[in-house]
Amino acid sequence: MSDAEPRVPLAHRVPDLGALELLLAIARHGSLGRAARELGISQPAASGRLRSMERQLGVALVDRSPRGSRLTGAGALVTDWARRVVEAAEAFDAGTQALRGRRDSRLRVAASLTIAEYLLPGWLVALRAQRPDTAVSLLAGNSAAVARWLFAGEADLGFVEGLAVPEGLDGAVIGHDRLVVVAAPGHSWTRRRAPLPAAELAAASLILRERGSGTRQVLDSALSRWGGLGEPLLELASTTAVKAAVVSGAGPAVLSELAVAEELAARRLREVRVEGVSLGRALRAVWPRGQTPAGPARELLGLTGSRL
Amino acid sequence: MSDAEPRVPLAHRVPDLGALELLLAIARHGSLGRAARELGISQPAASGRLRSMERQLGVALVDRSPRGSRLTGAGALVTDWARRVVEAAEAFDAGTQALRGRRDSRLRVAASLTIAEYLLPGWLVALRAQRPDTAVSLLAGNSAAVARWLFAGEADLGFVEGLAVPEGLDGAVIGHDRLVVVAAPGHSWTRRRAPLPAAELAAASLILRERGSGTRQVLDSALSRWGGLGEPLLELASTTAVKAAVVSGAGPAVLSELAVAEELAARRLREVRVEGVSLGRALRAVWPRGQTPAGPARELLGLTGSRL
DNA sequence: CATCGCTCATCACCCCAGCTTATGACCCCA
DNA sequence: TGGGGTCATAAGCTGGGGTGATGAGCGATG
């Protein structure tokens, strides 16, 4: 790992979450005082905070008047950007709260890592909006672990990705994931007109997670007809590390669509279409056979888009 | 606007950005001390901060040992969630920095509101990663304002959405946007099997932005063959307000795909397919005729995916 | 016209979160 | 056995952000 040139940290250039929340509250209420009340602080505190945020950013955000406050044009834009930060923080909060995992939770969820990482926080935020008092706890692990937790009665509801429902569990498909081949813009594969033949994918040197990761296993078995995966170009310990290597142009990789959705949208990565091999897999909610989810579990299932 | 029941603010439950950044740095470096150095703080500061973050979250994040530190399982998950917050903060920072708009910027960009809100921050983050010393300034306004700024020499490069390149400007298509009909899950339109006929859309009561907004104009002219838009169900001042109303089930609306991408992915909203009317529009980079972008402008264009 | 009710700003004061430096314990390796 | 690395603890300082009191601008109301 490269060494540590001191950098001005982001936290010094971005207002803290409290200030961003304040800005959103001001936008909603059109008044510093009411925004302050919503956040449980005094009106002078809000006034001072807003002022120091404007000083820090060097932009006037709010037009104050004796009969209320309105966002300036720039303020509206900044507020929209701030909303994204706050939403990410809300997902973070919902996730960590579940991870804290109090034993007395009304709903105990077990999920595969991919789902826990990319989908679950959003569901939990939605669930909280709908039933603010439902305490949820979360256990994250691979499919086998999820099944184990369900059988042992340590979880009420599980989420796994994979081709089949584990034996002894019932399940419902709640969505789909797909492994996609990605490469940095400019890589020769991104200039192809025709899809990449599976055989060529199997023959190529890819950036991979270390042996044993779920993604790698799925890929290897999907390519078994072509002799399985070739020699890896690089073996890395985390999805994030793989993405970073691909973005920096080290080579192509195969990752879950969920993991690369943002990078594809921002065009930091390009998808390479492949033919001759199917890399889709279902996302499933699962529960012990016979124990049809009810109560909060059913509520959460509804939010995932499942019709049960 | 409803009244202000005091709520525990998010900021008290989520570690501040500095702490999240620290966690990411620890994950990268595998050492508190090196992470501290990267952030320009002392090792005891990092130690204390990490400890208080773990106490706040009630989760052990890092396994310390006399020869380094590694994330725990829960820590890895928390780190992934934290990364999203930090990335949103980076986009916020890039955006506001441009908005501050120092006169001596190397690159002065003018953009329509939609592009400034949803796409530009990501491009600026990417540009910064690639050319850390390029100062960018941003002017945001409607298409006419963008054209005006370019003609007046107050901006070097513009971004607009719309059907045609404004007179006197050259341009390149960098992407596409589409107006989509959205409704809350469960709305009758979301249960249709066949696409909604345009005539039915025109006849319906929709939640709309106030008269004069670009989206509303485009929609109205696209539906002119069917008599234009019907009576609005509700008129609201911002895209955000419209989205909130739709999510809460007030009724359907028509919004830019960019604006609702997240809500669609999280299934808070559903897209209703429509037939008989085309609601696509190109996203274009534009510049004064003849002044082909060069230098940083060209660099930025490359990041948008344009081939120029 | 005076007064009330809402807006926001300013001032004085206070407190604690988070920083620093100095130090110590643990582990590994040469 | 000492020197490099790890992390933790302790003591002390500082400043950002909080409170509460107060005042000024504007509009509606009797």
Side-chain angles (χ1 to χ4, degrees), chain A residues 268, chain B residues 86-95 119-132 300 303:
Chain A
R268 286 194 295 276
Chain B
V86 170
E87 278 167 3
E90 255 156 20
F92 179 99
D93 178 46
L119 298 174
L120 201 58
W123 298 341
L124 294 178
V125 169
L127 182 61
R128 181 186 290 179
Q130 190 166 314
R131 296 259 183 256
L300 179 58
L303 293 171

Side-chain angles (χ1 to χ4, degrees), chain B residues 24 43 48 85 96 99 132 141 146 169 171 189 216 277 307:
Chain B
L24 298 187
Q43 173 266 318
V85 181
T96 53
L99 215 50
V146 169
L169 298 177
W189 282 1
R216 180 157 174 180
V277 63
R307 295 214 181 286

Side-chain angles (χ1 to χ4, degrees), chain A residues 79-207:
Chain A
T79 302
D80 286 323
W81 295 331
R83 186 170 295 111
R84 280 197 194 50
V85 180
V86 170
E87 279 168 2
E90 255 157 20
F92 179 98
D93 179 46
T96 54
Q97 209 135 74
L99 215 50
R100 173 150 58 234
R102 305 199 36 73
R103 284 280 165 280
D104 56 352
S105 296
R106 305 256 323 274
L107 173 57
R108 298 165 307 160
V109 173
S112 75
L113 285 170
T114 307
I115 291 176
E117 179 173 351
Y118 293 102
L119 298 174
L120 200 59
W123 298 340
L124 295 178
V125 168
L127 182 62
R128 181 186 289 178
Q130 190 166 314
R131 297 259 182 255
D133 46 1
T134 309
V136 179
S137 73
L138 167 63
L139 296 165
N142 60 27
S143 298
V146 169
R148 222 168 42 238
W149 285 319
L150 287 170
F151 286 133
E154 293 172 26
D156 309 311
L157 182 63
F159 293 97
V160 295
E161 70 255 7
L163 301 172
V165 179
E167 187 51 40
L169 298 178
D170 277 346
V173 172
I174 58 166
H176 292 277
D177 185 30
R178 205 164 46 93
L179 296 182
V180 297
V181 179
V182 292
H187 185 279
S188 65
W189 281 0
T190 67
R191 283 197 289 264
R192 297 178 59 93
R193 318 216 69 213
L196 188 72
E200 203 164 325
L201 178 62
S205 285
L206 299 174
I207 303 174

Side-chain angles (χ1 to χ4, degrees), chain A residues 192-276:
Chain A
R192 297 178 59 93
R193 318 216 69 213
L196 188 72
E200 203 164 325
L201 178 62
S205 285
L206 299 174
I207 303 174
L208 297 173
R209 291 283 301 281
E210 78 290 359
R211 198 171 304 273
S213 86
T215 308
R216 181 157 173 181
Q217 287 174 346
V218 169
L219 184 60
D220 202 41
S221 77
L223 291 177
S224 56
R225 272 176 47 197
W226 292 271
L229 280 168
E231 265 310 291
L233 180 61
L234 217 54
E235 282 194 334
L236 299 170
S238 74
T239 303
T240 313
V242 173
K243 281 198 280 186
V246 177
V247 169
S248 77
V254 180
L255 291 166
S256 159
E257 184 178 33
L258 289 168
V260 295
E262 280 174 46
E263 281 79 5
L264 290 175
R267 303 194 183 236
R268 286 194 295 276
L269 291 178
R270 297 295 158 83
E271 175 174 354
V272 180
R273 282 175 310 129
V274 176
E275 73 181 352

